[in-house]
Amino acid sequence: MTNRNVNNTLMELAMSISNRSALPRAAVPGLMALFGGVLGPPQKKLLRKTLEDGSVNKGGNKVINTWIDSMRASSPTRSAKSTQNNQNQDPTSPWTLYHPSALSMFDHIVCESKGKQIVTFLDYDGTLSPIVADPDKAYMSKKMRATLKDLARHFPTAIVSGRCLDKVYNFVRLAELYYAGSHGMDIKGPTNKRSTKKGNEQVLFQPASEFLPMINEVYNILVEKTKSVPGAKVENNKFCLSVHFRCVDEKNWASLGEQVSLVLNEYPKLKLTQGRKVLEIRPAIKWDKGKALEFLLESLGYANSDNVFPIFIGDDRTDEDAFKVLRRRGQGIGILVSKITKETDASYTLQDPTEVGQFLRHMVEWKRTSSQYQKLDSR
């Protein structure tokens, strides 16, 4: 076992302690440093030997068990959802006070944006379309598509999704939008002449293009390996892979996690993250939805501008990267789509895609009304 594997195990131990003791995620590096200080070379050698012969966790694979705990946490039971949903809907709960509804706070939000250019960024699955058992059938409603079309007439609008660019475009089918697929690793600008600004035609950026052969290789391996797990589905999103376990019986999650783990052990240049009943495999580069948001703002000419108000709406863990960027910039807002309480860097919440549609239509109507008032004032 290599030093890298020992360090990975230390990370998992620290994460496990953080999760079980309700410590904040920010405490993980400190816990790792503590383990690193406690374990000198002789102890690390012993740990390595112990891990190799499996005696650290005779009841099973600690790595897989940690994954299972995390998979359960990202996919709460119905009873847990019901309890958390009640807390989310209670206007007096601490979580709701810190993350109020974007619909009830709409007037405050548009007041914040006064005099600035609003730019909207939207996740797809769970935000514009409902989460469904078959990811190939995550269709957006006609009403939502019409809303997006109206929205793009007034504000630059981008879809930032874990799906590959071609798939998300086929779901949305609006040429006037920006698209960032594969968690922002495949970015393309509007294709219709009316919506493209001079110098920004066909914005194209692929920071992980060198990983394409590796991604395809791992995809083929995972398709074969996961055949033994009923309900598992591996999706090739060009620059990343998604292993869906929404239709996998919970008793088989350990088997699925083990299969994925064994494959990824041979590919250290790839990393694993988790979403809503999905394992995401991505190149281990410093690029995510937050970086994609910054790239698109720069492409639109707002890199260092104080006159921009980005709004990012998303429902998944990967959207947190964008929420963090907005907090760091001190510009715009993040809106989490969720019926349950969860740790987030978003400022506001919406319950589901239906509420997302309502919020976006409010934006369109507000812009139309304010434009009419401006025309009257100019007469």
Side-chain angles (χ1 to χ4, degrees), residues 216-238:
N216 289 328
E217 182 178 318
V218 173
Y219 169 73
N220 291 327
I221 295 173
L222 283 174
V223 168
E224 288 300 316
K225 293 289 185 182
T226 58
K227 283 181 178 179
S228 60
V229 183
K233 180 180 177 66
V234 184
E235 184 180 14
N236 190 334
N237 286 310
K238 191 170 182 177

Short mmCIF file of all heavy atoms in Angstrom, two decimals, residues 216-238:
data_model
loop_
_atom_site.label_atom_id
_atom_site.label_comp_id
_atom_site.label_asym_id
_atom_site.label_seq_id
_atom_site.Cartn_x
_atom_site.Cartn_y
_atom_site.Cartn_z
N ASN A 216 -13.38 7.46 -21.60
CA ASN A 216 -14.04 6.44 -22.40
C ASN A 216 -13.61 5.03 -21.99
O ASN A 216 -14.42 4.10 -21.97
CB ASN A 216 -13.74 6.66 -23.89
CG ASN A 216 -14.45 7.88 -24.45
OD1 ASN A 216 -15.55 8.22 -24.02
ND2 ASN A 216 -13.83 8.57 -25.39
N GLU A 217 -12.34 4.89 -21.65
CA GLU A 217 -11.82 3.59 -21.22
C GLU A 217 -12.49 3.16 -19.91
O GLU A 217 -12.94 2.01 -19.78
CB GLU A 217 -10.30 3.70 -21.03
CG GLU A 217 -9.63 2.41 -20.62
CD GLU A 217 -8.12 2.56 -20.50
OE1 GLU A 217 -7.52 3.22 -21.38
OE2 GLU A 217 -7.54 2.05 -19.52
N VAL A 218 -12.56 4.07 -18.95
CA VAL A 218 -13.17 3.76 -17.66
C VAL A 218 -14.66 3.50 -17.83
O VAL A 218 -15.23 2.63 -17.15
CB VAL A 218 -12.93 4.91 -16.65
CG1 VAL A 218 -13.70 4.67 -15.36
CG2 VAL A 218 -11.44 5.03 -16.35
N TYR A 219 -15.30 4.22 -18.72
CA TYR A 219 -16.73 4.00 -18.98
C TYR A 219 -16.98 2.56 -19.42
O TYR A 219 -17.87 1.88 -18.88
CB TYR A 219 -17.22 4.97 -20.06
CG TYR A 219 -18.60 4.65 -20.58
CD1 TYR A 219 -19.73 4.90 -19.81
CD2 TYR A 219 -18.77 4.08 -21.84
CE1 TYR A 219 -21.01 4.60 -20.27
CE2 TYR A 219 -20.04 3.77 -22.32
CZ TYR A 219 -21.15 4.04 -21.53
OH TYR A 219 -22.40 3.72 -22.00
N ASN A 220 -16.20 2.09 -20.37
CA ASN A 220 -16.39 0.73 -20.88
C ASN A 220 -16.15 -0.30 -19.78
O ASN A 220 -16.86 -1.31 -19.69
CB ASN A 220 -15.45 0.47 -22.06
CG ASN A 220 -15.83 1.27 -23.30
OD1 ASN A 220 -17.01 1.52 -23.53
ND2 ASN A 220 -14.85 1.69 -24.07
N ILE A 221 -15.15 -0.06 -18.94
CA ILE A 221 -14.86 -0.98 -17.83
C ILE A 221 -16.02 -1.00 -16.84
O ILE A 221 -16.47 -2.06 -16.40
CB ILE A 221 -13.55 -0.59 -17.13
CG1 ILE A 221 -12.36 -0.75 -18.08
CG2 ILE A 221 -13.34 -1.43 -15.87
CD1 ILE A 221 -11.05 -0.22 -17.53
N LEU A 222 -16.51 0.19 -16.47
CA LEU A 222 -17.58 0.28 -15.47
C LEU A 222 -18.88 -0.33 -15.97
O LEU A 222 -19.63 -0.94 -15.20
CB LEU A 222 -17.81 1.73 -15.06
CG LEU A 222 -16.78 2.33 -14.10
CD1 LEU A 222 -17.05 3.81 -13.88
CD2 LEU A 222 -16.82 1.59 -12.75
N VAL A 223 -19.17 -0.18 -17.26
CA VAL A 223 -20.37 -0.79 -17.81
C VAL A 223 -20.34 -2.30 -17.61
O VAL A 223 -21.35 -2.92 -17.21
CB VAL A 223 -20.52 -0.45 -19.31
CG1 VAL A 223 -21.59 -1.32 -19.96
CG2 VAL A 223 -20.88 1.02 -19.48
N GLU A 224 -19.18 -2.89 -17.84
CA GLU A 224 -19.05 -4.34 -17.66
C GLU A 224 -19.10 -4.73 -16.19
O GLU A 224 -19.78 -5.67 -15.80
CB GLU A 224 -17.74 -4.83 -18.30
CG GLU A 224 -17.74 -4.83 -19.81
CD GLU A 224 -18.83 -5.72 -20.40
OE1 GLU A 224 -19.00 -6.86 -19.90
OE2 GLU A 224 -19.53 -5.28 -21.33
N LYS A 225 -18.37 -3.98 -15.35
CA LYS A 225 -18.25 -4.33 -13.93
C LYS A 225 -19.58 -4.19 -13.19
O LYS A 225 -19.87 -4.95 -12.27
CB LYS A 225 -17.21 -3.43 -13.26
CG LYS A 225 -15.78 -3.65 -13.73
CD LYS A 225 -15.22 -4.97 -13.24
CE LYS A 225 -13.76 -5.12 -13.61
NZ LYS A 225 -13.20 -6.43 -13.19
N THR A 226 -20.38 -3.20 -13.58
CA THR A 226 -21.63 -2.94 -12.84
C THR A 226 -22.81 -3.76 -13.33
O THR A 226 -23.92 -3.64 -12.81
CB THR A 226 -21.99 -1.44 -12.92
OG1 THR A 226 -22.14 -1.05 -14.30
CG2 THR A 226 -20.92 -0.58 -12.27
N LYS A 227 -22.58 -4.62 -14.33
CA LYS A 227 -23.66 -5.48 -14.80
C LYS A 227 -24.14 -6.42 -13.71
O LYS A 227 -25.29 -6.90 -13.74
CB LYS A 227 -23.20 -6.29 -16.02
CG LYS A 227 -23.16 -5.50 -17.31
CD LYS A 227 -22.71 -6.37 -18.47
CE LYS A 227 -22.73 -5.57 -19.78
NZ LYS A 227 -22.27 -6.40 -20.94
N SER A 228 -23.27 -6.68 -12.73
CA SER A 228 -23.63 -7.59 -11.64
C SER A 228 -24.51 -6.91 -10.59
O SER A 228 -24.97 -7.57 -9.66
CB SER A 228 -22.36 -8.13 -10.97
OG SER A 228 -21.59 -7.07 -10.43
N VAL A 229 -24.73 -5.60 -10.73
CA VAL A 229 -25.54 -4.86 -9.76
C VAL A 229 -26.85 -4.43 -10.43
O VAL A 229 -26.86 -3.48 -11.23
CB VAL A 229 -24.80 -3.61 -9.23
CG1 VAL A 229 -25.64 -2.90 -8.16
CG2 VAL A 229 -23.45 -4.00 -8.66
N PRO A 230 -27.95 -5.09 -10.14
CA PRO A 230 -29.24 -4.76 -10.78
C PRO A 230 -29.64 -3.30 -10.53
O PRO A 230 -29.57 -2.82 -9.40
CB PRO A 230 -30.23 -5.72 -10.10
CG PRO A 230 -29.39 -6.85 -9.60
CD PRO A 230 -28.08 -6.23 -9.20
N GLY A 231 -30.03 -2.62 -11.60
CA GLY A 231 -30.50 -1.25 -11.48
C GLY A 231 -29.43 -0.20 -11.67
O GLY A 231 -29.75 0.98 -11.85
N ALA A 232 -28.15 -0.59 -11.62
CA ALA A 232 -27.08 0.39 -11.80
C ALA A 232 -27.01 0.84 -13.25
O ALA A 232 -27.20 0.04 -14.17
CB ALA A 232 -25.75 -0.20 -11.37
N LYS A 233 -26.74 2.12 -13.44
CA LYS A 233 -26.64 2.67 -14.80
C LYS A 233 -25.44 3.60 -14.88
O LYS A 233 -25.30 4.51 -14.06
CB LYS A 233 -27.92 3.44 -15.16
CG LYS A 233 -27.90 4.04 -16.57
CD LYS A 233 -29.20 4.78 -16.86
CE LYS A 233 -29.18 5.45 -18.23
NZ LYS A 233 -29.13 4.47 -19.33
N VAL A 234 -24.56 3.34 -15.85
CA VAL A 234 -23.38 4.18 -16.05
C VAL A 234 -23.65 5.10 -17.24
O VAL A 234 -23.98 4.63 -18.34
CB VAL A 234 -22.12 3.34 -16.31
CG1 VAL A 234 -20.89 4.24 -16.41
CG2 VAL A 234 -21.93 2.31 -15.20
N GLU A 235 -23.52 6.39 -17.01
CA GLU A 235 -23.79 7.38 -18.06
C GLU A 235 -22.51 8.09 -18.45
O GLU A 235 -21.76 8.59 -17.59
CB GLU A 235 -24.82 8.39 -17.56
CG GLU A 235 -25.23 9.41 -18.60
CD GLU A 235 -26.26 10.41 -18.07
OE1 GLU A 235 -26.45 10.47 -16.84
OE2 GLU A 235 -26.87 11.12 -18.89
N ASN A 236 -22.21 8.12 -19.73
CA ASN A 236 -21.03 8.81 -20.24
C ASN A 236 -21.40 10.25 -20.56
O ASN A 236 -22.15 10.52 -21.50
CB ASN A 236 -20.50 8.11 -21.49
CG ASN A 236 -19.14 8.64 -21.91
OD1 ASN A 236 -18.79 9.78 -21.61
ND2 ASN A 236 -18.36 7.82 -22.59
N ASN A 237 -20.87 11.18 -19.75
CA ASN A 237 -21.15 12.60 -19.97
C ASN A 237 -19.94 13.32 -20.56
O ASN A 237 -19.64 14.46 -20.21
CB ASN A 237 -21.59 13.25 -18.66
CG ASN A 237 -23.00 12.83 -18.27
OD1 ASN A 237 -23.92 12.91 -19.08
ND2 ASN A 237 -23.17 12.36 -17.05
N LYS A 238 -19.24 12.61 -21.42
CA LYS A 238 -18.10 13.10 -22.19
C LYS A 238 -16.86 13.34 -21.34
O LYS A 238 -15.89 12.62 -21.44
CB LYS A 238 -18.46 14.36 -22.99
CG LYS A 238 -17.38 14.72 -24.02
CD LYS A 238 -17.84 15.83 -24.96
CE LYS A 238 -16.76 16.13 -26.00
NZ LYS A 238 -17.20 17.14 -26.97
#
